[in-house]
């Protein structure tokens, strides 16, 4: 029987195995945090209110391992959150969404294309839209506009050449 006032139960087992728990955590990669983890382990198991533990040594080692894993996950999440925050913030302002930047660039490019087509004249722009966007055959476009097939082909070539020039300028 232990002397009065000496630790019993889980406390006695914890104290008897404290150095082993510390070495275990260091070996598992806890490093400088091993001492804190052993202390956290004691706080956790000392508040435990349920019944006796079948294998208290194994319980302590498993609980120590779980605490270390939880601390690792928490630190990892914190690091990821900090990294994401530092990437999103520059000079005190939140950077725009990359998707929004692509949308803006696409709209600007569409405006340039529309301006080039408008500069070609109504007929050439209409022929280009009907042939390349609507997919209407050139013969049908010629019939709709009352012009020859060679005129449709010529106007389509002029529109494609103007857009190819725009593409070169945008590079």
């Amino acid at each position: 029987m232990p002397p009065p006032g000496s630790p019993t139960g889980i406390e006695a087992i914890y104290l008897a195995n404290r150095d082993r728990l510390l070495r275990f955590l260091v070996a598992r990669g806890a490093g400088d945090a091993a001492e804190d983890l052993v202390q956290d382990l004691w706080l956790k198991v000392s508040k435990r209110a349920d019944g006796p533990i079948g294998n208290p040594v194994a319980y302590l080692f498993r609980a120590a391992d779980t605490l270390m894993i939880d601390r690792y996950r928490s630190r990892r999440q914190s690091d990821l959150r900090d990294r994401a925050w530092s990437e999103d913030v520059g000079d005190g302002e939140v950077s725009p969404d990359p998707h929004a930047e692509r949308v803006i660039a696409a709209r600007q490019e569409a405006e340039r294309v529309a301006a080039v087509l408008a500069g070609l004249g109504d007929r050439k722009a209409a022929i280009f839209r009907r042939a390349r966007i609507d997919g209407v055959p050139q013969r049908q476009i010629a019939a709709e506009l009352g012009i020859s097939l060679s005129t449709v082909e010529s106007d389509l070539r002029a529109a494609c050449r103007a857009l190819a020039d725009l593409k070169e300028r945008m590079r």
Side-chain angles (χ1 to χ4, degrees), residues 41-64:
L41 173 64
W42 171 245
L43 293 173
K44 180 179 177 184
V45 297
S46 67
K47 293 178 184 173
R48 194 174 171 279
D50 50 356
I53 300 167
N55 187 345
V57 175
Y59 171 81
L60 288 172
F61 277 88
R62 181 66 190 140

Side-chain angles (χ1 to χ4, degrees), residues 3 7 20 25 27 36 39 42 47 55 60 72 78 88 100 103 108 121 124 139 154 156 159 161 169:
R20 284 181 56 205
L25 290 169
D36 291 340
Q39 183 63 32
W42 171 245
K47 293 178 184 173
N55 187 345
L60 288 172
Y72 167 77
S78 177
D88 285 346
V103 168
Q108 290 171 344
K124 289 179 183 175
R139 286 191 192 282
S154 175
L156 193 54
R161 190 172 29 254
R169 287 191 309 268

Side-chain angles (χ1 to χ4, degrees), residues 115-152:
V116 166
L117 289 175
L120 295 174
D122 291 341
R123 188 181 76 197
K124 289 179 183 175
I127 290 172
F128 178 82
R129 283 189 186 95
R130 296 286 289 147
R132 296 292 188 246
I133 297 172
D134 298 337
V136 177
Q138 293 177 14
R139 286 191 192 282
Q140 185 178 339
I141 295 170
E144 288 173 1
L145 297 176
I147 56 175
S148 70
L149 180 58
S150 62
T151 302
V152 170

Side-chain angles (χ1 to χ4, degrees), residues 2-163:
S6 65
T8 60
I10 193 75
E11 183 179 4
I13 294 170
Y14 168 81
L15 290 172
N17 290 284
R18 188 179 187 291
D19 291 338
R20 284 181 56 205
L21 287 164
L22 193 59
R23 287 191 307 271
F24 169 77
L25 290 169
V26 168
R28 297 269 298 143
D32 294 337
E35 191 68 45
D36 291 340
L37 287 167
V38 170
Q39 183 63 32
D40 290 348
L41 173 64
W42 171 245
L43 293 173
K44 180 179 177 184
V45 297
S46 67
K47 293 178 184 173
R48 194 174 171 279
D50 50 356
I53 300 167
N55 187 345
V57 175
Y59 171 81
L60 288 172
F61 277 88
R62 181 66 190 140
D65 190 45
T66 301
L67 282 173
M68 189 179 85
I69 290 169
D70 289 347
R71 181 173 283 203
Y72 167 77
R73 287 179 181 157
S74 175
R75 286 242 169 95
R76 184 168 172 250
Q77 284 300 107
S78 177
D79 290 346
L80 290 173
R81 187 175 43 252
D82 290 347
R83 191 174 317 128
W85 181 83
S86 66
E87 289 172 0
D88 285 346
V89 175
D91 297 333
E93 295 181 20
V94 176
S95 65
D97 178 16
H99 176 72
E101 290 176 3
R102 287 192 301 268
V103 168
I104 291 169
R107 285 183 183 153
Q108 290 171 344
E109 189 173 334
E111 288 171 3
R112 289 184 192 127
V113 168
V116 166
L117 289 175
L120 295 174
D122 291 341
R123 188 181 76 197
K124 289 179 183 175
I127 290 172
F128 178 82
R129 283 189 186 95
R130 296 286 289 147
R132 296 292 188 246
I133 297 172
D134 298 337
V136 177
Q138 293 177 14
R139 286 191 192 282
Q140 185 178 339
I141 295 170
E144 288 173 1
L145 297 176
I147 56 175
S148 70
L149 180 58
S150 62
T151 302
V152 170
E153 291 170 347
S154 175
D155 286 353
L156 193 54
R157 271 193 308 275
C160 289
R161 190 172 29 254
L163 292 173

